Amino acid sequence: MRIRHGSFRNRSLPALDPGRRQFLRGAGLLAGASALGCGQLRVLAGDVERVATPFGVQAGDVLANRAVIWSAADRPARMWVEVADNAEFLDAVRLRGPAALPETGLTAKLDLTGLRPNARIHYRVIFEDLRETAHASASLVGSLLTPDDPTVPVFGAPGRSRRRDIRFLWSGDVAGQGWGINPEFGGMRIFETMRRLRPDFFIHSGDCIYADGPIQQSVALPDGSLWHNLVTPAKAKVAETLDEFRGNYQYNLLDDHLRRFNAEVPMYAQWDDHEVVNNWYPGENLVDARYAETDVDVLAARAQQAFVEYMPVRFGERNRLFRHFPRGPLLDLFRIDLRSFRGPNTANRQPVAGDETAYLGAEQVEWLKRALLESRGIWKVIASDMPIGLVVPDGADFENGANGDPGAPLGRELEIAELLRFIKEHRIHNVVWLTADVHYTAAHRYDPSRAAFRDFLPFWEFVSGPLNAGTFGPSALDGSFGPQVVYVKAPPPGQANLPPSAGLQFFGQVDIDAHSARLTVTLKDLDGAALFTQVLEPERGAGAVAERWR
């Protein structure tokens, strides 16, 4: 039996040569195919349409032996995933995935397990119509690189570690402030700029959508010309229903550059405020005439479901997004969540910690302490959805940790102080913070000699973004933890909400040399021009960990 269009090879378990069979069996894919079902795809007679897959494929939350594969269909359909160790998909194994149903926004995710560490994994996805009224979809192809981890068994034995340079990117803020997909501008061009750098992975630092930011067909520019947006019904108003939140993700995925980027670069996605509504916190009641639903907890529940459906994330116990991702001997990545467990936005000057001062929340703080203490990677990168020392007001209150008071930590700063003190007490070196949120790019060095609170080790924080949104800034600094602005690029004084066509769209690039363990951060613009570079040498003693991996 053959598939009518032939774009997705239809075969039972192939006859593998010993090397390739070892790859697949050792990766757990042969067992996975048997458990999930590896049957024949149905063949339809007659001239009927195909299942459409308008939003491409994505991979995310990659571990040494696991990865989430995502896609979506235009109707109820069964997801099938082929996995191979080569781009030609010779001797690939086919896995039966979940059904894309209306209950999940017609999205589907398959969490591949048992993958080989330190390997290029090629995958392709098709959908088969559950009602048998359409041909299977055309195949969508993607790839990802798993990190090294010699503790992961492969074919019954520990893996072999291989020194390899690491490159990854980070940024945030997509389709905000009314700046959507403009075909005349070339769409969301920054994603093509990033794709060409061939990074191992991408950290999406939040504001993946702007659910509270409608998109109009045209926006007047200062020079009298017009910015022309693609528009959809879901972006005509603020998102309140589940389908409207879903529509915001669907809008972004109309961009060719973003879909191509997603297929080639796996992602670690965070969420911040605009996935729900500006500056939100649990328990908030909105005062905004645009909203019929003013209970933010209701909006956040719908928004979280859409985020889980449309982003390639693996939520943990009790829907926890915070997670540790080992990336081999050189790097451990820690994704934190500064939105879900916070207290209300206040003046943020409470002298004693309590429910109102929660930022990460007690459980997440303890998790991060433990994860940092157990980290085996030389570099410990904390992916944060908000910066530490920049002041972000929410009316008369404050939206992030900083409160504008340069004195001793107060309010949400108390949790940051607790964490920084722990890092110093346990001599956890080589900690770097990466973030976005403020819509400009900057490099900050935090120095205890400049700070009101001095019980911490010096560290760097790098800020980037937006990806396709308005440019603002720079923000005021809070001196409690001694930040120094080493570099900043933002709009000129008096200018704000600049369009992507102004060129002030930013992302960050991190390169780690496999031999020296030297980490280099480069802040880049829309066209990939290097604006600022900072080279960080690993602290002495940290390299002993890496030696055990070689």
Side-chain angles (χ1 to χ4, degrees), residues 299-317:
L299 294 173
R302 295 168 182 166
Q304 185 187 66
Q305 180 172 337
F307 178 84
V308 172
E309 289 173 350
Y310 278 86
M311 301 301 285
V313 294
R314 182 189 301 110
F315 266 62
E317 182 184 357

Side-chain angles (χ1 to χ4, degrees), residues 321-468:
L321 187 60
F322 57 87
R323 188 176 286 268
H324 166 216
F325 298 97
R327 293 290 312 187
L330 297 173
L331 173 65
D332 276 342
L333 174 64
F334 305 89
R335 178 175 65 195
I336 64 174
D337 177 2
L338 297 179
R339 189 60 53 179
S340 301
F341 309 102
R342 62 169 57 200
N345 294 345
T346 67
N348 201 23
R349 299 195 179 188
Q350 298 89 341
V352 178
D355 291 344
E356 281 196 345
T357 68
Y359 195 24
L360 290 87
E363 180 183 3
Q364 188 175 186
V365 168
E366 291 307 309
W367 162 81
L368 184 55
K369 287 179 181 178
R370 183 173 62 254
L372 287 168
L373 192 59
E374 295 173 353
S375 169
R376 299 182 66 192
I378 293 178
W379 292 99
K380 297 99 170 59
V381 168
I382 298 176
S384 176
D385 42 300
M386 300 199 77
I388 295 174
L390 294 178
V391 178
V392 183
D394 180 22
D397 295 326
F398 291 92
E399 211 262 322
N400 70 335
N403 57 22
D405 182 341
L410 298 169
R412 290 174 179 158
E413 294 174 331
L414 295 169
E415 279 190 354
I416 301 298
E418 178 187 349
L419 178 62
L420 296 181
R421 181 186 294 112
F422 178 88
I423 290 171
K424 178 184 177 182
E425 287 177 351
H426 293 272
R427 300 178 183 177
I428 302 171
H429 296 284
N430 306 321
V431 177
V432 177
W433 295 68
L434 302 179
T435 189
D437 184 65
V438 289
H439 294 241
Y440 67 93
T441 192
H444 302 147
R445 186 175 187 274
Y446 289 78
D447 186 344
S449 70
R450 299 167 50 91
F453 174 82
R454 299 190 172 192
D455 197 11
F456 68 95
L457 299 173
F459 66 94
W460 284 84
E461 174 188 67
F462 299 94
V463 184
S464 201
L467 288 164
N468 195 90

Side-chain angles (χ1 to χ4, degrees), residues 496-508:
N497 195 20
L498 299 188
S501 54
L504 299 182
Q505 308 286 288
F506 307 109
F507 66 94

